[in-house]
Amino acid sequence: MKTTRTIPTIFALFAVLGSHAMASPDASLDARALNARWAEQAFSARPLAEQGGPVVGIPFSFVYDGKPSAALLPQWRAEQEEEAVDATTRRRTLTFTDPQTGLEVKAVADVFLDTPGVDWTVHFTNTGTKDTPILEKVRAVDIAIETPRQAAASKEAPMDAAKGAAPSVTGSDPVLHRLRGSFAGPVYDLGEFAPLDDSLPVGANISWGSVDNRSSFHAFPFFTLDWSDGGVVTAIGWTGQWEAAVERDGSRLRLHAGMRDLHVKLHPGETLRSPRVLQVYWRGGDQFVGDNLFRQTMLAHILPRVNGQIFYPPFAHATSSFYEANKTTEAIERSYIKSFKDLGFECYWLDAWWIKGGHPHGMGHWGFPITRGYDPVRFPNGVKPLSDLAHSHGLKFLQWFAPEEIWPGTDLAVEHPEWVMKPGPPGPIDLTNPEARAYMINYLNTVIKEWGIDWWRSDGGPSLSHWKSGDADPDRIGITEIRYVEGYYQMWDAMRQANPNLRLDNCAGGGRRIDLETSARSLSLWRTDGAVLTISKNAFDDTAILSQVSNHGLNRYIPFSQSGTMGATPYYFRSGFNGGITFCEDVRPADYPRELLKQGIAEGKRLRKYLLGDFYPLTKPTVSAEAWCAYQYHRPDQDDGVVFAFRRHESPCCAYQLNLRGIDPAADYEVTEARTYTPEKPRRIKGAELQRYRASIDELPGSLLLEYKKCRQPKNETTEK
């Protein structure tokens, strides 16, 4: 197989399909065609010279025996297979084999037919009889992008003779859109999951990645590259170390991402995998078109399902989490369930305080008999009676676990010290060890069934030092991380397979493990430990801002997530709502406004449907107490939507102009405002007025809920202004 280009470029592909903004009135259909055509060429075994039409190339790279894959793959044997996974997915498998060493490189790519996007993972297998040379610098995605607008501008712009540099594309520089990760910082910082926008002038080189080994700690593995007349959203699935970079050289952009610090030889018969990659390309000049096409694909193909259906985050009450903590008892937990059972909550949440020895030092009493795990004094009957009580009131049962963490002196640490990774304390259970992993899977599946667990809450995890300490061979750097991460996925998958109705909550000291792979298996019901800081201080306003900022940023990529919140009034409750709510306020006092909270939950259940639509931030991201925050959900197929607008507690402005998206200016809309939980009388207005809606909130702090729906049939009455 011979070629003159192996770094993929989509320049010619955009030229063939058209470089104008949104050629098709159906953006999704247009993007589906673009992504399918790209995948057809990117994952092709045919010699590129024979393909005809636009040339794309191989969208990943690596270094093997000191040589780049761009030089190696054209000389290796190439095979291509294609099959239909189901009615909405076509799978293409591209395999290269080195005839000298037997290294097999297999890329498995799923191309979606009903939404845009290509989802792939690369697998490396030693099919030979001896160790391979060193494999390193594996970039699960490595693409070059040259758009027509940039290329044309580059030809027109003069060369800077003094610097000898490539010409800059003045006024139309591409932009890298990404988010901060979760970092449990104070609200007066930039904010959890706050957007970061970086212009990419000629010569730009931006690199970023995970901090320690948590995939969404400080950095977030979803990002958007926008080059004015098109763009691509990329998501990385690797619950460990990852790194990404975007470079610009003249009119060409290069994007690559992969696992950090890999330097490994493979033993005969051994296989390792790359991080998972999902990409969605789109055309046009609107970043949020691309982000919403990506959301479509997340909803249709990535998010976990039960009985084939997407599930929302629950309206859950976190009971003793911020009150009794390690002093809670069965009787206290019963009192919580009794206090909220009739308010509309859907889930009873039992956090870390049930374990024997208390949190954190009791982490490690996992195993058999399962009765040894809970505190025998505070929970003499175990946790099953609490699960039964919750179920008797129509509530689901969520229970906290940290199965990866083992503290000294706990049962598992004493029985199987060989399963505890070093250094410590504490040390995680060694998920690279098949025996240890099988034991933990057996334990978890047993308690899930015996205790009637509906939501399994995962916390804790290893540190980078645990993984590095396992790499004793300098020619096997990174192998411990790979085997641990693979074992982590195997544990989650085994739990879901054995318990088809189980839902997973992904927490690791807050939302520090949110990536493509965990998002395919779980929801994050506690996306930031920043809420621990604000709720512990009884800081209602800071907690509300923390939730608003997280929704404002994270919802661009992740349709469902939430964190701890408190407050029954519309401003506080709506701030924490994002499909469900993790409520952390004690509602047992006699003077608690229970009826108000009940109304908030009922409103949230009614609004859930909108979260399946497109998402648009309507204000600039900020944690300022003087600002407004607003965002919109719009359902194009229903021609309706909802706007959440918040006037924060120090805002001097009682009105704000909202520039809504997806509105037909010539159509009539029925619009309903709600500042309290009681909606006002609906009004009929023109779409042009709705597009530039003047929102007013007198209360400080206060919120406005704006629901709208396009009128299907004209009415005779005069349109209200």
Side-chain angles (χ1 to χ4, degrees):
M1 178 178 181
K2 296 183 179 180
T3 179
T4 58
R5 183 184 349 184
T6 53
I7 296 177
T9 173
I10 64 170
F11 169 60
L13 187 57
F14 269 77
V16 167
L17 293 180
S19 62
H20 50 289
M22 288 306 150
S24 168
D26 184 344
S28 177
L29 180 62
D30 185 65
R32 275 180 271 163
L34 176 63
N35 283 268
R37 179 65 171 148
W38 179 83
E40 180 183 347
Q41 297 190 36
F43 296 94
S44 174
R46 289 180 296 160
L48 298 184
E50 299 176 6
Q51 287 187 17
V55 175
V56 178
I58 308 302
F60 57 87
S61 67
F62 56 90
V63 172
Y64 184 56
D65 198 17
K67 303 179 183 66
S69 56
L72 296 173
L73 293 183
Q75 311 305 321
W76 292 6
R77 184 171 68 252
E79 299 177 357
Q80 174 190 319
E81 297 180 2
E82 188 164 330
E83 60 181 321
V85 177
D86 52 38
T88 62
T89 306
R90 186 176 72 249
R91 177 168 295 164
R92 177 167 286 210
T93 302
L94 179 61
T95 305
F96 296 92
T97 305
D98 177 13
Q100 302 300 319
T101 68
L103 180 68
E104 178 189 86
V105 181
K106 179 180 293 185
V108 181
D110 285 347
V111 183
F112 303 127
L113 308 177
D114 56 337
T115 65
V118 186
D119 180 354
W120 75 87
T121 306
V122 186
H123 306 266
F124 299 84
T125 301
N126 182 1
T127 66
T129 58
K130 60 182 180 179
D131 289 350
T132 66
I134 295 296
L135 174 68
E136 58 189 339
K137 297 181 181 177
V138 173
R139 302 295 179 241
V141 57
D142 191 346
I143 59 172
I145 302 160
E146 185 174 18
T147 71
R149 179 179 297 183
Q150 291 168 331
S154 297
K155 293 177 181 178
E156 295 172 1
M159 176 71 74
D160 187 338
K163 297 182 180 179
S168 173
V169 184
T170 306
S172 60
D173 287 338
V175 178
L176 171 64
H177 305 284
R178 52 197 171 110
L179 303 178
R180 298 186 78 188
S182 179
F183 57 98
V187 172
Y188 55 74
D189 202 331
L190 293 177
E192 305 281 288
F193 306 107
L196 301 171
D197 298 328
D198 297 290
S199 180
L200 297 169
V202 173
N205 188 336
I206 298 175
S207 60
W208 73 103
S210 59
V211 173
D212 195 55
N213 65 333
R214 305 295 178 94
S215 52
S216 56
F217 185 37
H218 282 249
F220 195 65
F222 296 65
F223 50 92
T224 303
L225 188 56
D226 179 359
W227 53 83
S228 297
D229 52 3
V232 59
V233 181
T234 303
I236 306 299
W238 188 248
T239 315
Q241 298 185 92
W242 60 272
E243 58 185 358
V246 174
E247 307 159 8
R248 183 176 175 198
D249 179 11
S251 62
R252 172 170 288 194
L253 296 167
R254 184 180 180 188
L255 181 159
H256 57 84
M259 178 183 164
R260 182 186 287 142
D261 298 337
L262 180 66
H263 179 91
V264 64
K265 61 183 179 183
L266 294 179
H267 300 319
E270 189 175 23
T271 297
L272 62 81
R273 54 158 289 178
S274 76
R276 181 178 176 182
V277 177
L278 170 63
Q279 283 199 317
V280 173
Y281 289 89
W282 86 93
R283 292 187 290 145
D286 188 341
Q287 166 204 349
F288 294 112
V289 167
D291 289 347
N292 281 311
L293 290 170
F294 179 84
R295 274 176 58 95
Q296 286 182 20
T297 299
M298 288 290 290
L299 287 163
H301 294 283
I302 305 300
L303 294 191
R305 294 171 180 258
V306 169
N307 295 323
Q309 299 297 316
I310 286 178
F311 53 88
Y312 292 100
F315 286 91
H317 196 293
T319 63
S320 57
S321 297
F322 288 91
Y323 296 92
E324 293 83 5
N326 277 327
K327 296 180 180 180
T328 194
T329 65
E330 179 184 333
I332 290 172
E333 294 299 319
R334 284 179 175 274
S335 73
Y336 274 109
I337 295 174
K338 181 180 178 181
S339 72
F340 69 77
K341 64 181 178 63
D342 297 323
L343 299 183
F345 281 101
E346 298 168 324
C347 187
Y348 159 55
W349 180 307
L350 179 62
D351 216 276
W353 322 118
W354 62 275
I355 59 175
K356 181 174 66 179
H359 179 275
H361 300 287
M363 293 189 292
H365 293 300
W366 324 118
F368 301 93
I370 62 174
T371 53
R372 74 186 189 182
Y374 52 77
D375 191 293
V377 176
R378 295 182 292 116
F379 295 90
N381 303 305
V383 299
K384 181 62 161 58
L386 296 174
S387 171
D388 289 342
L389 180 60
H391 290 150
S392 72
H393 293 297
L395 300 166
K396 294 192 180 300
F397 176 43
L398 178 149
Q399 188 169 354
W400 174 97
F401 288 88
E404 295 170 85
E405 296 208 20
I406 305 175
W407 281 69
T410 59
D411 294 330
L412 200 54
V414 172
E415 294 170 359
H416 291 285
E418 75 279 11
W419 289 354
V420 183
M421 298 184 76
K422 304 295 186 295
I429 190 169
D430 187 0
L431 292 181
T432 73
N433 183 320
E435 185 181 7
R437 185 171 64 248
Y439 181 92
M440 186 57 68
I441 290 171
N442 186 25
Y443 165 69
L444 291 171
N445 282 336
T446 300
V447 297
I448 288 166
K449 288 181 169 63
E450 292 292 326
W451 296 346
I453 297 171
D454 303 295
W455 279 89
W456 180 79
R457 175 165 163 75
S458 174
D459 205 352
S463 69
L464 186 56
S465 61
H466 293 122
W467 290 345
K468 287 189 173 182
S469 66
D471 292 340
D473 186 342
D475 288 339
R476 298 274 287 173
I477 301 301
I479 196 66
T480 302
E481 174 179 345
I482 290 173
R483 297 296 176 240
Y484 190 98
V485 172
E486 289 174 337
Y488 183 65
Y489 298 153
Q490 290 170 22
M491 183 176 73
W492 279 24
D493 291 343
M495 292 163 57
R496 296 176 66 218
Q497 182 176 5
N499 305 278
N501 294 322
L502 183 69
R503 296 157 171 83
L504 305 188
D505 165 32
N506 171 28
C507 176
R512 302 183 186 188
R513 274 176 160 178
I514 301 176
D515 56 66
L516 184 63
E517 287 283 24
T518 56
S519 295
R521 297 167 169 86
S522 66
L523 303 185
S524 182
L525 307 185
W526 195 273
R527 63 194 171 199
T528 169
D529 268 358
V532 174
L533 303 178
T534 60
I535 294 173
S536 297
K537 296 177 181 177
N538 215 34
F540 282 72
D541 291 325
D542 285 350
T543 303
I545 292 176
L546 181 66
S547 292
Q548 293 168 19
V549 171
S550 297
N551 288 344
H552 192 278
L554 193 57
N555 287 359
R556 304 169 193 217
Y557 301 111
I558 305 294
F560 303 137
S561 68
Q562 59 195 40
S563 192
T565 190
M566 54 185 180
T569 64
Y571 175 80
Y572 296 118
F573 193 87
R574 290 168 179 169
S575 295
F577 170 74
N578 199 37
I581 205 160
T582 302
F583 201 71
C584 300
E585 197 176 5
D586 188 353
V587 302
R588 292 174 298 176
D591 61 347
Y592 191 85
R594 299 166 53 80
E595 185 60 31
L596 196 64
L597 179 57
K598 185 176 182 179
Q599 293 175 24
I601 295 173
E603 178 186 84
K605 290 179 179 179
R606 180 174 60 80
L607 298 176
R608 271 177 165 166
K609 61 186 180 182
Y610 294 116
L611 272 69
L612 299 178
D614 293 340
F615 175 79
Y616 296 103
L618 301 179
T619 54
K620 292 183 179 180
T622 177
V623 297
S624 171
E626 298 181 354
W628 279 52
C629 178
Y631 38 84
Q632 173 192 6
Y633 296 95
H634 179 74
R635 299 194 297 175
D637 57 332
Q638 300 293 324
D639 284 320
D640 65 3
V642 64
V643 174
F644 291 83
F646 303 97
R647 181 189 179 190
R648 293 176 178 166
H649 60 284
E650 294 182 6
S651 172
C653 303
C654 62
Y656 192 96
Q657 180 178 298
L658 303 171
N659 296 317
L660 272 60
R661 303 294 301 270
I663 305 300
D664 180 356
D668 288 346
Y669 286 82
E670 183 177 88
V671 175
T672 304
E673 292 185 337
R675 293 168 181 81
T676 68
Y677 291 130
T678 302
E680 299 172 14
K681 183 180 179 180
R683 298 187 300 129
R684 188 180 178 93
I685 66 174
K686 279 293 184 184
E689 180 182 345
L690 181 59
Q691 279 183 319
R692 299 175 62 81
Y693 198 84
R694 186 181 185 275
S696 62
I697 302 174
D698 293 332
E699 192 176 7
L700 192 66
S703 66
L704 170 66
L705 190 71
L706 179 68
E707 289 183 84
Y708 62 87
K709 184 172 182 60
K710 188 176 183 180
C711 298
R712 298 296 182 182
Q713 297 294 334
K715 293 186 178 181
N716 295 324
E717 63 265 26
T718 303
T719 300
E720 292 184 35
K721 295 294 183 182

